[in-house]
Amino acid sequence: MSQLSLPFLTTREAPQAHSDTRAAPPSGPRLERSVSLEEPRPHLAMAARLAEGLQRMVREPVEVELTDNAWTMVSYRRVEGRLRFRLHHMFGAAGDDVITALAGFTGHKRKQHGRTIDLFVKQNRALIRSSPERDDVPLTTRGRVHDLREIYDDLNRRHFDGRIDARIGWGRKPPGRRRRSIKMGVYLHDRRLIRLHPALDDEQVPRLFVELVVFHEMLHQHLPPTEGASGRRCVHGPEFRAAERKFPGYEQARAWEKAHLHLLLRRS
Ligand SMILES: [Zn+2]
């Protein structure tokens, strides 16, 4: 799951919301099976070529699995004496420089090699496909009070040069008892989907606050999580927080949130 929650009201995000980290890919055997069933054959040849190139450089046995994951481009871990890479299939076309960077990424100069990899990913961005569900799920964008499509388009123009590419919609009202916290919004990286909590679609919730929540979720696409010094995924890093604070009306929106949290909780 690469589901990210907005911790405006909760002080921290649930750790399981970030389990799709480089350090913790899902279990191996299951993946291998799914690859042989789902990946077209050329991928196997490309994976073998990459594995060969990488193996020469890291001087240990390497396995490569090419994925179509729209979020994690590169991950690796050591399993039973092997270095197992999971790479987006764009790396099938990687040249020697990028293969060198992938090998180097597992060593001490991560940062330097990471830059080469980032550049390659940027250049091949068009190959990143969002999941097939993307166009199937009908989304309600126009709420009773707030029109998310309009807010999103406006923010995209004003703050992102129209470069954010996501779908947006209101979530469904979650069943169950009263909550002590509410997730205002989520951004699902692999589906490029922003979902807002339906409690925000209310006359008493000012547009400015809804805007800030939408802006926050859009920022997640603009500034994807980074890997912190400890190797843990950092979702709301300093750069993210700084960018968020630049949102016009940020203080005002946060002040409203503090004063009216009880309203939202009652509705969630
Ligand atoms: Zn967030």
Side-chain angles (χ1 to χ4, degrees):
M1 290 291 289
S2 57
Q3 181 169 326
L4 305 178
S5 61
L6 174 61
F8 274 161
L9 302 177
T10 52
T11 48
R12 67 178 68 166
E13 301 185 355
Q16 63 268 28
H18 304 290
S19 63
D20 189 20
T21 62
R22 285 179 178 141
S27 64
R30 200 172 56 81
L31 280 172
E32 274 160 25
R33 193 160 58 242
S34 73
V35 165
S36 60
L37 288 175
E38 289 165 16
E39 297 287 307
R41 290 214 146 265
H43 277 189
L44 295 178
M46 290 194 289
R49 183 186 75 90
L50 281 169
E52 229 179 83
L54 286 165
Q55 197 157 308
R56 262 200 304 274
M57 289 178 207
V58 298
R59 301 208 178 97
E60 58 185 307
V62 170
E63 271 173 35
V64 171
E65 179 197 338
L66 293 177
T67 74
D68 200 15
N69 189 316
W71 170 234
T72 308
M73 299 293 115
V74 174
S75 69
Y76 70 89
R77 60 173 177 157
R78 289 197 163 75
V79 187
E80 292 159 10
R82 289 158 183 265
L83 198 50
R84 180 179 291 169
F85 283 90
R86 301 189 74 218
L87 305 171
H88 186 272
H89 66 75
M90 69 168 69
F91 286 94
D96 287 346
D97 55 331
V98 175
I99 296 178
T100 304
L102 288 171
F105 193 63
T106 66
H108 297 299
K109 293 185 180 166
R110 275 179 87 82
K111 221 170 180 178
Q112 176 196 326
H113 293 295
R115 276 196 289 272
T116 307
I117 295 169
D118 283 347
L119 184 66
F120 179 78
V121 169
K122 251 182 211 153
Q123 286 162 346
N124 291 277
R125 222 173 166 159
L127 297 173
I128 304 175
R129 197 181 60 179
S130 35
S131 84
E133 298 140 272
R134 182 175 176 190
D135 302 316
D136 302 346
V137 186
L139 283 172
T140 311
T141 55
R142 189 188 289 270
R144 215 169 39 81
V145 178
H146 297 293
D147 184 345
L148 293 179
R149 163 60 52 190
E150 197 242 309
I151 289 173
Y152 167 93
D153 286 342
D154 179 50
L155 292 173
N156 206 3
R157 208 168 36 238
R158 270 162 52 204
H159 300 288
F160 300 99
D161 289 329
R163 271 187 238 137
I164 300 297
D165 170 26
R167 297 170 73 221
I168 188 165
W170 289 106
R172 288 204 202 100
K173 195 176 161 155
R177 54 203 158 78
R178 272 179 69 163
R179 274 142 225 275
R180 298 173 61 192
S181 70
I182 124 177
K183 271 183 204 163
M184 300 293 185
V186 294
Y187 176 58
L188 309 178
H189 282 277
D190 49 1
R191 293 172 62 188
R192 292 179 171 260
L193 175 63
I194 295 169
R195 215 184 274 135
L196 257 72
H197 197 289
L200 299 183
D201 187 28
D202 191 284
E203 290 90 352
Q204 297 194 54
V205 179
R207 176 179 163 118
L208 179 70
F209 183 68
V210 180
E211 279 182 357
L212 178 58
V213 176
V214 174
F215 179 76
H216 177 106
E217 302 308 335
M218 292 171 88
L219 262 188
H220 275 308
Q221 184 179 102
H222 185 62
L223 299 171
T226 52
E227 205 164 301
S230 59
R232 302 229 3 215
R233 195 162 151 200
C234 183
V235 183
H236 303 106
E239 198 189 352
F240 186 101
R241 288 300 182 200
E244 188 184 28
R245 275 192 298 273
K246 280 192 198 135
F247 180 78
Y250 175 80
E251 295 299 338
Q252 202 187 328
R254 292 302 295 259
W256 181 89
E257 177 194 350
K258 248 186 215 153
H260 297 88
L261 173 59
H262 59 281
L263 267 181
L264 296 172
L265 286 175
R266 204 180 306 150
R267 288 204 185 84
S268 67

